[in-house]
Amino acid sequence: KQLQLQIYKTIHREPFSNPNYKLREGLINFQAVQQGEIMTTNDSPPIICPHNGMILFPKYPSPNKALPKEIFRIVATKHQ
């Protein structure tokens, strides 16, 4: 059986524009997410997922550390 290679493209980068953002626990790379889904905890300013796809590089920075440029990316399979 031959394996198929999946190619993904970034369709959204969410900037870490607010130091009070906190992603909900348990988000992992390539987890399916839906447009309209709330990505943050109840005590965080809301981030609403803008696209259907998969989350990539969800960030959970430690307090008192420099914030990354983005809090997560949304990727989708690239159709050829």
Side-chain angles (χ1 to χ4, degrees):
K1 183 177 177 181
Q2 188 174 9
L3 296 177
Q4 279 198 324
L5 178 65
Q6 287 287 341
I7 298 174
Y8 295 89
K9 64 179 177 177
T10 297
I11 58 174
H12 179 76
R13 288 178 175 89
E14 184 66 38
F16 213 134
S17 57
N18 186 326
N20 297 315
Y21 281 154
K22 289 186 235 172
L23 289 179
R24 35 176 239 263
E25 291 295 320
L27 294 172
I28 59 171
N29 286 329
F30 296 103
Q31 178 178 334
V33 292
Q34 299 296 313
Q35 184 176 7
E37 187 174 339
I38 298 172
M39 306 300 288
T40 48
T41 61
N42 290 336
D43 62 342
S44 169
I47 299 174
I48 308 300
C49 186
H51 301 281
N52 293 332
M54 290 169 274
I55 193 165
L56 190 62
F57 309 132
K59 308 285 191 319
Y60 297 94
S62 300
N64 304 320
K65 296 271 185 165
L67 295 178
K69 291 184 180 185
E70 59 192 42
I71 192 166
F72 61 83
R73 293 180 184 202
I74 302 296
V75 297
T77 56
K78 185 174 182 177
H79 301 289
Q80 298 169 345

